[in-house]
Amino acid sequence: MRIAIVKLSAMGDIVHAMIVLQYIKKFNPKISIDWVVDENFKELLKFHPQINRVHAVSLRNANMKKSIFSFLKELKKIQNLDSYDLVIDLQGLLKSAVISRFIPSKATLGFDKLSAREKIASFFYTKTFKIGYEENVIKRNFELIKFALELPYNFQDIQSKLPYMFSSQRYENIGLSSSKKNVVIVPGASHSTKLYPVNKIARLTKLLDAKIIIIWGSQSERLLAEEIKTLNPTVVITDQLSIDQLISLVGQVDLVVGSDTGPTHLAWASNIPSITLFGSTPGYRNALSSEKNKIIESKSNVNPLKIDKKDYSIQEIKVEEVFKAANSLLIEEIN
């Protein structure tokens, strides 16, 4: 059986979707799985041993150029793929649904109109699945795949998942300590309402008895990192890492602390201890807690359908609460 999974973006969403791979292969190792993803995120999947082929499309670039020609060119590329037994759209957007339908296949499956992010997407599938949009995103992915392939597993089985992020090599030149615990701090995020205040991050880094490594992915995030270093010169700022290097780094450290953003979610996927801070986005929906992966939410009432651009409640989370959770996780790692 040949299947294609469509999950185009963004980093955290793709990471959360990739959990399904190990359960598909556990059910039937002979199922061949291809994945369609935006060009910018192909490194997340490129070295995964359970993926047969990664098909990268440049939709993000086409959208930035507002080019119909570029979009049609990408669709043509997809249309020329070999036929699949089943195409599964885990994104639920119009663009992902159109791509899914253009892929040659016997059947196309996705969320129904009450479950998809964009209702119109459901009209492009030959079969649909219903699950509340407000449900946990990892559960939504899992339940859709379970329905599609009739998997004999339950969502609770994810608590005993295997780590599933793979890089091309183990990067050694990233300044890890051999005498102290290594903690990665992720100061950046896709939206300003997700940012934890720089002064509070700096206080946290001073409280932790660990090697603190600050990562960044854009110039604005680099500035945040430099502000933290100004307040605490002992922290180390990495160079700009590729996705491949980021996966390797996260897999080697003892703790990752950040907001609701892709690099923080990588820790959960890698079975690395983490603390994810939530303010304007719902923690109950956008992450899964476990003994080693903690969620700290502000007290605001969050709408899972839309980010409130005026909700900066993440700033109200106390440093002491984050430190207590971090210290507890680091002590557990020692034991």
Side-chain angles (χ1 to χ4, degrees), residues 117-303:
R117 173 70 180 270
E118 296 177 351
K119 293 183 179 181
I120 193 172
S122 64
F123 294 102
F124 289 86
Y125 311 131
T126 58
K127 195 172 183 180
T128 59
F129 176 70
K130 183 177 181 179
I131 182 171
Y133 185 77
E134 73 285 353
E135 291 278 0
N136 182 275
V137 292
I138 301 168
K139 182 177 183 179
R140 280 167 52 85
N141 296 326
F142 182 88
E143 296 296 346
L144 177 55
I145 294 294
K146 178 179 178 178
F147 171 77
L149 300 173
E150 299 181 354
L151 302 182
Y153 311 117
N154 296 314
F155 180 59
Q156 290 74 18
D157 295 332
I158 284 181
Q159 290 294 348
S160 57
K161 73 182 189 308
L162 299 173
Y164 59 88
M165 299 308 303
F166 299 88
S167 59
S168 64
Q169 59 183 295
R170 181 182 174 92
Y171 288 89
E172 303 290 351
N173 58 337
I174 42 185
L176 296 180
S177 172
S178 58
S179 58
K180 284 189 171 185
K181 291 293 184 179
N182 293 283
V183 177
V184 162
I185 303 289
V186 188
S190 60
H191 196 276
S192 61
T193 62
K194 292 183 177 183
L195 299 178
Y196 196 52
V198 163
N199 64 321
K200 289 194 171 184
I201 294 176
R203 278 185 58 202
L204 175 65
T205 64
K206 290 178 180 179
L207 290 171
L208 290 170
D209 181 23
K211 173 74 174 285
I212 306 297
I213 302 163
I214 313 291
I215 64 171
W216 56 281
S218 66
Q219 284 306 309
S220 62
E221 292 177 3
R222 169 82 193 197
L223 291 175
L224 292 175
E226 289 175 349
E227 286 185 54
I228 295 167
K229 189 170 181 64
T230 299
L231 295 170
N232 182 6
T234 66
V235 306
V236 173
I237 301 175
T238 66
D239 293 331
Q240 188 171 26
L241 302 176
S242 68
I243 290 177
D244 195 46
Q245 291 171 320
L246 178 60
I247 292 171
S248 178
L249 171 61
V250 168
Q252 295 180 62
V253 300
D254 302 290
L255 176 67
V256 176
V257 181
S259 61
D260 178 17
T261 187
T264 315
H265 298 309
L266 277 176
W268 178 82
S270 304
N271 285 5
I272 296 297
S274 67
I275 299 172
T276 312
L277 308 178
F278 287 91
S280 62
T281 53
Y284 69 86
R285 184 180 186 274
N286 290 8
L288 273 185
S289 62
S290 70
E291 289 185 0
K292 62 169 60 176
N293 303 107
K294 306 300 181 184
I295 294 172
I296 299 178
E297 297 182 81
S298 68
K299 296 180 181 179
S300 65
N301 189 15
V302 179
N303 179 0

Side-chain angles (χ1 to χ4, degrees), residues 43-87:
E43 273 191 281
L44 284 169
L45 305 138
K46 189 175 180 181
F47 304 105
H48 199 296
Q50 294 169 333
I51 296 177
N52 179 47
R53 289 189 65 188
V54 177
H55 300 293
V57 292
S58 299
L59 288 187
R60 222 172 146 190
N61 294 333
N63 185 51
M64 289 173 67
K65 296 176 183 176
K66 301 189 184 305
S67 170
I68 295 296
F69 174 77
S70 296
F71 180 69
L72 293 176
K73 183 180 178 182
E74 295 303 313
L75 289 182
K76 184 68 174 177
K77 185 166 62 176
I78 288 297
Q79 199 172 27
N80 289 332
L81 296 177
D82 292 335
S83 182
Y84 293 90
D85 295 293
L86 178 63
V87 173

